[in-house]
Amino acid sequence: MPLMEPAYLTALAVIFGLTIGSFLNVVIHRLPRMLEREWRQHCAELKGEEPLAEAPYNLVVPRSACPACGHRIAWYENIPVLSYLALRGRCAECKTPISRRYPLVELITGLFFGFAVWHFGADGRALAALVLLGLLIALTFIDLDSYLLPDNLTLLMLWLGLAVNLQGLFVPIDQAVIGAMAGYLCLWAVYWLFKFATGKEGMGYGDFKLLAALGAWLGWKMLLPILLTSSIVGAVVGIGLILFAGHDRARPIPFGPYLVLGGIVCLFWGPAMIRLYLP
């Protein structure tokens, strides 16, 4: 099969996505904890206290281990999806169940990567889309876990979006710049209007930055479809959680995953959606 055949490239992208998904699991688990350690150090410095002595902890060290028994995970226990199936979803040492989140993230990443290469073909947009999808998947699960959208990822995504559009990869650079500004300002305005009306915070600043980053990648014309898609899906899911899952109304529901979903929909089908309201 020729190397540039769509089926061959798509299969390679799926395998590559499974591998990247394994790394994203590390990012999802460790990045919030890394930020907490930084915040504790900063708080100690502000108080004039001696910074806490803590062992190195980042995306590389320490090696991955079972949180229950400390068993160091060998390379053959870390093969995406296959290792989970071979271990029957349990630690090889203590048999503690392994969260289904890990193979789920790997599968989602593999499928999205394969679809992106099939959709865009063998050009720069496909490669850029893989980077964007990896960042969006990481942000989704971090927000679900910790209600955080770290600047380390949102701001990186924003600047990368402007960089890839310097040559108009997805949209002209002027549309990307306006998209970044308008994306931030429209949710910023919603935040303050809601706060003045209710005295409560309806969303976090990370949501502003996430929409700004999506605007930088996809342009200002995509902002309305992104917001419509995310709002409709968010409303349906939120009502469903309250009615059928007993979700406490006072407990916040992260909006970041719905913005991500709207961004992914517009990444692939945005031009067709735009033609519906900007013929």
Side-chain angles (χ1 to χ4, degrees):
M1 182 183 293
L3 289 180
M4 298 305 289
E5 281 288 331
Y8 184 86
L9 289 175
T10 300
L12 285 179
V14 171
I15 296 171
F16 179 61
L18 291 171
T19 306
I20 294 300
S22 182
F23 172 70
L24 292 181
N25 276 319
V26 177
V27 176
I28 292 163
H29 177 76
R30 295 194 180 191
L31 185 56
R33 291 161 178 78
M34 291 163 55
L35 293 174
E36 289 174 5
R37 287 164 66 101
E38 289 182 14
W39 297 334
R40 285 198 298 269
Q41 297 288 352
H42 292 161
C43 288
E45 292 175 3
L46 291 173
K47 293 178 181 179
E49 300 173 355
E50 189 69 23
L52 301 174
E54 297 181 279
Y57 187 87
N58 51 49
L59 299 181
V60 179
V61 294
R63 282 179 52 192
S64 297
C66 172
C69 68
H71 167 67
R72 297 288 184 182
I73 298 175
W75 68 268
Y76 52 83
E77 298 171 341
N78 207 26
I79 300 172
V81 181
L82 296 179
S83 291
Y84 182 88
L85 296 175
L87 293 169
R88 297 182 180 180
R90 295 182 178 274
C91 171
E93 189 70 23
C94 68
K95 307 305 180 186
T96 298
I98 301 170
S99 172
R100 295 177 184 176
R101 165 76 60 84
Y102 294 103
L104 177 63
V105 170
E106 292 163 356
L107 282 171
I108 288 174
T109 309
L111 292 174
F112 272 133
F113 274 34
F115 183 76
V117 169
W118 176 83
H119 181 82
F120 290 112
D123 66 14
R125 289 185 303 164
L127 182 59
L130 301 188
V131 175
L132 175 60
L133 288 167
L135 290 168
L136 290 175
I137 292 168
L139 285 165
T140 295
F141 287 95
I142 290 174
D143 200 15
L144 288 172
D145 282 344
S146 60
Y147 299 95
L148 291 174
L149 291 169
D151 287 352
N152 311 56
L153 300 183
T154 54
L155 296 184
L156 171 63
M157 196 171 92
L158 189 152
W159 291 113
L160 286 175
L162 295 176
V164 300
N165 283 319
L166 283 173
Q167 300 299 323
L169 198 61
F170 289 101
V171 293
I173 186 61
D174 59 336
Q175 292 189 25
V177 172
I178 296 171
M181 294 188 298
Y184 187 93
L185 289 175
C186 69
L187 285 189
W188 177 88
V190 170
Y191 168 89
W192 283 108
L193 286 172
F194 184 83
K195 188 169 184 179
F196 285 138
T198 66
K200 300 178 181 178
E201 296 183 357
M203 63 183 67
Y205 277 62
D207 297 314
F208 313 165
K209 299 168 190 174
L210 175 55
L211 187 58
L214 289 171
W217 277 83
L218 305 177
W220 66 266
K221 295 179 182 179
M222 294 293 187
L223 294 178
L224 181 58
I226 290 172
L227 287 172
L228 285 175
T229 303
S230 58
S231 298
I232 292 170
V233 174
V236 171
V237 173
I239 293 170
L241 288 173
I242 292 171
L243 293 180
F244 303 110
H247 185 86
D248 185 359
R249 294 172 182 266
R251 181 183 172 191
I253 297 176
F255 189 52
Y258 305 115
L259 285 174
V260 166
L261 177 61
I264 291 175
V265 168
C266 290
L267 172 65
F268 294 122
W269 299 286
M273 297 173 70
I274 286 177
R275 286 193 291 271
L276 294 177
Y277 74 96
L278 285 178

